[in-house]
Amino acid sequence: MSTRANSSSKKRGVLFDVDGTLIDSSYFHAFAWWQAFRREGMDIQISSIHRCVGMGGDKLVQHLVPDCPEDLQKELKSAHGAVFSTFWPSLRAFDSARDLLAACSDSGLAVGLASSAQERDLDVSRRLLDAGGSIDAWTSSNDADESKPAPDILLACLKKLELEPADVVFVGDAVWDVKAAAAIGVPAIALTCGGISEAELRDAGAAEVYDNPRHLLENLESSAIGRLTTETVRG
């Protein structure tokens, strides 16, 4: 079950999306959805699917197949999950992802994984990150009624960390991450390693854009996270 550690003494924090942000999985998700659609006789361009990755599965299906019956939505989501699980052995954390989480934690910030992944997929990602000591809380799809771009999963992670939107920065890789953060007034740092361009992420409202976790880590002090750290030190 998603949970939280004792982070009540930390007054500010960073929320991280997981898929496409910390774990190199966006294209595996796109291909898994493509396979799921093909099983149902639907030939949907994989590039169109990729642009929707980051939405919750329900919204992705609705976006690509308007008026899709509810029973078919369930079949598609189940098929996606089954295919995606076959890719687990191929998944990798992005370079410096664990170091980035550790740097945020070591600077006194609470660290939350604001993920809407299925719990079993998130368990795999957490093992790959191997950063348990740096993570104060995490969420899965079980923690939100509505998926991104709705902000429910961010609010759920904030609740676990006992923080307010004004206290945090969110790091994601998709337009839908940026929109979810904007819905509750949280500044968004975007990474292009999920396959979405800097221009699109900035158009969606990203405050800063970096290539990947390593690039953000190298510029952490001057980033919005660094400024949050400075505020934390000042009290």
Side-chain angles (χ1 to χ4, degrees):
M1 176 179 290
S2 54
T3 188
R4 65 178 298 277
N6 182 12
S7 60
S8 58
S9 63
K10 298 180 178 180
K11 304 304 181 184
R12 294 179 177 84
V14 188
L15 309 184
F16 288 89
D17 174 59
V18 176
D19 284 306
T21 300
L22 300 172
I23 301 295
D24 192 0
S25 55
S26 291
Y27 289 95
F28 289 108
H29 274 296
F31 188 69
W33 279 114
W34 182 81
Q35 289 275 39
F37 286 123
R38 287 296 298 268
R39 288 183 181 187
E40 297 296 335
M42 301 177 188
D43 189 8
I44 297 180
Q45 192 169 299
I46 197 166
S47 61
S48 298
I49 298 171
H50 173 253
R51 300 183 74 79
C52 293
V53 170
M55 287 182 173
D58 54 339
K59 292 185 177 177
L60 181 148
V61 172
Q62 291 167 12
H63 184 83
L64 294 169
V65 188
D67 302 318
C68 183
E70 187 173 344
D71 58 340
L72 181 53
Q73 288 185 40
K74 291 180 179 178
E75 289 293 330
L76 289 166
K77 289 170 68 176
S78 177
H80 162 266
V83 175
F84 184 72
S85 68
T86 68
F87 298 135
W88 287 348
S90 300
L91 298 181
R92 296 291 183 272
F94 283 115
D95 180 28
S96 299
R98 179 173 57 181
D99 294 337
L100 175 60
L101 297 176
C104 292
S105 180
D106 291 346
S107 67
L109 298 173
V111 174
L113 302 184
S115 172
S116 54
Q118 296 296 312
E119 195 162 333
R120 63 177 194 157
D121 294 333
L122 182 62
D123 288 343
V124 172
S125 294
R126 288 177 53 234
R127 287 197 296 272
L128 288 172
L129 288 169
D130 190 25
S134 301
I135 299 169
D136 295 294
W138 59 89
T139 60
S140 72
S141 59
N142 295 335
D143 293 299
D145 292 329
E146 192 173 352
S147 59
K148 295 173 188 173
D152 295 29
I153 205 69
L154 277 69
L155 291 170
C157 198
L158 285 170
K159 184 176 181 180
K160 290 173 183 284
L161 292 171
E162 299 178 6
L163 296 176
E164 298 296 327
D167 300 323
V168 303
V169 172
F170 180 50
V171 183
D173 70 288
V175 165
W176 321 111
D177 295 324
V178 178
K179 290 182 179 294
I184 54 173
V186 171
I189 295 175
L191 307 182
T192 60
C193 48
I196 304 302
S197 72
E198 177 177 354
E200 290 173 282
L201 293 166
R202 288 197 181 277
D203 284 346
E208 300 172 8
V209 180
Y210 299 92
D211 296 340
N212 46 45
R214 173 179 281 279
H215 190 204
L216 174 54
L217 179 62
E218 290 171 346
N219 293 276
L220 198 62
E221 186 174 344
S222 61
S223 74
I225 296 174
R227 293 190 290 276
L228 201 62
T229 301
T230 300
E231 292 172 11
T232 299
V233 171
R234 289 174 179 171

